Amino acid sequence: MEKTHMSAFALYQSLSTDLPPAKTASLQVVEKKKKRKRKENGVSKVNTVKAQLKPERKKMRKKSAQREESLKGAAEMQVEECVNGDSEDLDALLADLAKVNNSRERASQLFQWLINPIPAKTFFRDTWEKKPILVQRKNPDYYKGLFSTAEFDRILRQEDVQYGVNLDVTSYTNGTRETHNPPGRALPFTVWNFYESGCSLRMLNPQAFSSTVWNALSILQEQFGSMAGANVYLTPPGTQGFAPHYDDIEAFIVQLEGKKHWRVYNPRTEDEVLPVLSSPNFDQSDIGKPILEVVLEAGDLLYFPRGFIHQGECLPDAHSLHITISSYQKNSWGDLMQKMVPAALEIAMEEDVEFRQGLPLDYLTYMGVQNSDKDDPRRKKFFSRIESLMKKLTSYAPVDAAVDQKARDYLHDCLPPMLSPEESASSVKGAPVRWERGQVIGVGAHITTQTKVRVLRAGCARLCSDGEAVHLYYTTDNSRVYHKEEPKSFEINAEHTDAIEFLIHSYPKFVTVGSFPCDSAEDKVALAELLFERGIIHTAEPL
């Protein structure tokens, strides 16, 4: 007998508002079974070879149609009852996390709070980059304190919020998506007029203005090993601010206030699974039927991977405020190889004569698009040579150097760590030197070989070499505004690299400056003072 599927939205509409509140939270998991068959010998997508690709495109369309068939009914949601209990106040949670000795453990605990009650290990094994998942908690205060409309209003009044830089005013009406940003500063008088007229408000970098959002993202970035960003969306009742689209980030939709009706759709083709770039706006006719349709209420969470098309609209009876926490933009194997392969080829051409040997004299007569249909044995020989060189190229791949390039980009993307009062007191920001009663006080406090130190965060500094010199890249002086400043780094003397590695690998333990593997006590203290002045290390006790 065929099962009749009722979407979560229809279920929501059919529920009586007189029902007593649930004592347990429900976890609704959207299982999306998807074939992930990859092309084995991909063809370069060049406009001049479209004719060659037609058979492949037909196969792709056939695969997509088969996949759509297999996904009919796949949006049946599994419901699991889970007891969450009362959520801890976010300020108290962050205060408790500040006492956790290891910043990676701190990140793990905060991420677990974000997706609770789903175990993080299960999430990354079964869901991450694969399928959407929905958590409905029936606890409107679960995320209380992360952000609010009151905070939105305070930022408009007190901060220099610029249209197009920090705030977008948008609408989506009758299939048309529009942006209504005037020039200049976004002042409350104009912004709230837009909102009352039915426009959605998107704050692009709330971490620049909200210390709580900054704190949360600066912790979560260590969980992902990739920049954690955020946008805040405030939508009036009965309106929609954005057209259907997909993004190039892993998205965690955190509902803070009100409620919003969401629809999520499968990637349309295999080419749009885990896409490199975000999509343009789609028409409703482009996207098919949703695999998930649900109303998010305050305290709920919706996750979907990059490539999943989505749209959200407000119901007539309530506004919506949500924050989208995002990560993993341009953090794929392909992004790493874009840095590695050109360098590997450069090395191979320097070191291996095979890569420098000339092409066949007559290769233009049998290779290229105009000759692609020829049954010529020379073509097979040519492809065989290319395959041989490609295999050989892997032995020249500077993998560690390419990873260091990715690491430099990541450290530039990172938010600076938000220090706890104890960390501040034991770092350069809390050093006792000051001006008092007409003179400088506290200059006698110095680092010695007995001083115990460690790096501020597990991932706040990294040694990288450009082949000639070694630099230490670090995040502690970064801006809360994305890429407002250049990457922070300085050159490290070759005799100090072992000491830097020792310090980084010792985290989270404090080690004495005297234990640094340097030639002399003076070198050890000088290096510690340099790192302390840059905010990279702090002491076990305030100086």
Side-chain angles (χ1 to χ4, degrees), residues 491-524:
E491 188 172 344
I492 294 292
N493 293 334
E495 59 268 24
H496 289 162
T497 55
D498 286 346
I500 298 290
E501 287 182 4
F502 167 73
L503 193 57
I504 290 172
H505 294 153
S506 295
Y507 185 88
K509 294 179 181 178
F510 284 91
V511 295
T512 63
V513 173
S515 66
F516 287 9
C518 296
D519 292 338
S520 67
E522 290 78 10
D523 280 351
K524 296 174 183 182

Side-chain angles (χ1 to χ4, degrees), residues 423-432 531-538:
E423 288 173 330
S424 183
S426 61
S427 73
V428 68
K429 294 186 177 179
L531 299 174
F532 186 81
E533 289 168 4
R534 300 292 180 117
I536 296 169
I537 63 173
H538 68 124

Side-chain angles (χ1 to χ4, degrees), residues 10 36 40 42 55 68 93 127 132 156 178 183 254 265 280 320 339-340 359 379 409 476 523:
R36 288 193 168 272
E40 298 222 342
E68 288 297 326
L93 173 64
T127 305
L156 291 175
E178 292 183 277
V254 176
Y265 308 77
S320 169
K339 297 181 179 296
M340 186 173 62
L359 293 162
R379 286 180 59 82
D409 292 344
T476 52
D523 280 351

Side-chain angles (χ1 to χ4, degrees), residues 267-316:
R268 300 179 304 168
T269 67
E270 290 293 324
D271 288 346
E272 293 180 357
V273 173
L274 303 179
V276 176
L277 299 172
S278 295
S279 74
N281 295 328
F282 293 126
D283 292 328
Q284 299 294 337
S285 59
D286 296 332
I287 56 180
K289 294 180 180 180
I291 60 164
L292 169 63
E293 192 169 7
V294 67
V295 172
L296 284 190
E297 299 189 16
D300 294 347
L301 171 74
L302 173 63
Y303 159 82
F304 45 80
R306 53 198 190 276
F308 278 76
I309 301 167
H310 53 278
Q311 60 179 322
E313 61 182 334
C314 261
L315 301 178

Side-chain angles (χ1 to χ4, degrees), residues 138-207:
K138 307 299 181 185
N139 181 356
D141 294 331
Y142 188 83
Y143 294 117
K144 188 176 181 180
L146 182 56
F147 200 83
S148 66
T149 48
E151 177 79 345
F152 203 116
D153 184 70
R154 179 200 67 76
I155 290 169
L156 291 175
R157 295 181 182 283
Q158 297 180 7
E159 306 286 354
D160 182 17
V161 178
Q162 294 287 319
Y163 287 111
V165 178
N166 314 113
L167 186 77
D168 282 331
V169 179
T170 70
S171 65
Y172 180 67
T173 309
N174 298 324
T176 302
R177 156 79 163 84
E178 292 183 277
T179 300
H180 307 279
N181 294 340
R185 182 176 171 183
L187 293 168
F189 180 85
T190 309
V191 171
W192 293 124
N193 269 340
F194 276 124
Y195 177 83
E196 285 296 300
S197 300
C199 292
S200 288
L201 307 175
R202 174 173 64 181
M203 186 168 286
L204 297 169
N205 52 341
Q207 60 271 24

Side-chain angles (χ1 to χ4, degrees), residues 208-317:
F209 307 113
S210 165
S211 59
T212 304
V213 176
W214 165 33
N215 194 4
L217 295 181
S218 70
I219 295 171
L220 287 173
Q221 65 194 8
E222 287 202 59
Q223 173 71 22
F224 298 121
S226 176
M227 184 189 79
N231 289 335
V232 168
Y233 298 82
L234 178 60
T235 310
T239 68
Q240 181 170 340
F242 295 87
H245 66 283
Y246 62 71
D247 295 311
D248 59 348
I249 45 89
E250 302 298 297
F252 297 83
I253 311 298
V254 176
Q255 191 69 26
L256 301 171
E257 296 176 8
K259 51 193 175 184
K260 198 169 209 177
H261 170 212
W262 283 90
R263 284 170 284 176
V264 181
Y265 308 77
N266 279 320
R268 300 179 304 168
T269 67
E270 290 293 324
D271 288 346
E272 293 180 357
V273 173
L274 303 179
V276 176
L277 299 172
S278 295
S279 74
N281 295 328
F282 293 126
D283 292 328
Q284 299 294 337
S285 59
D286 296 332
I287 56 180
K289 294 180 180 180
I291 60 164
L292 169 63
E293 192 169 7
V294 67
V295 172
L296 284 190
E297 299 189 16
D300 294 347
L301 171 74
L302 173 63
Y303 159 82
F304 45 80
R306 53 198 190 276
F308 278 76
I309 301 167
H310 53 278
Q311 60 179 322
E313 61 182 334
C314 261
L315 301 178
D317 58 337

Side-chain angles (χ1 to χ4, degrees), residues 54-69:
K54 283 181 181 178
E56 286 296 326
R57 290 297 183 196
K58 286 179 182 176
K59 290 177 188 175
M60 184 71 75
R61 283 195 291 270
K62 187 176 180 182
K63 278 185 189 176
S64 296
Q66 289 171 345
R67 188 161 58 88
E68 288 297 326
E69 283 296 316

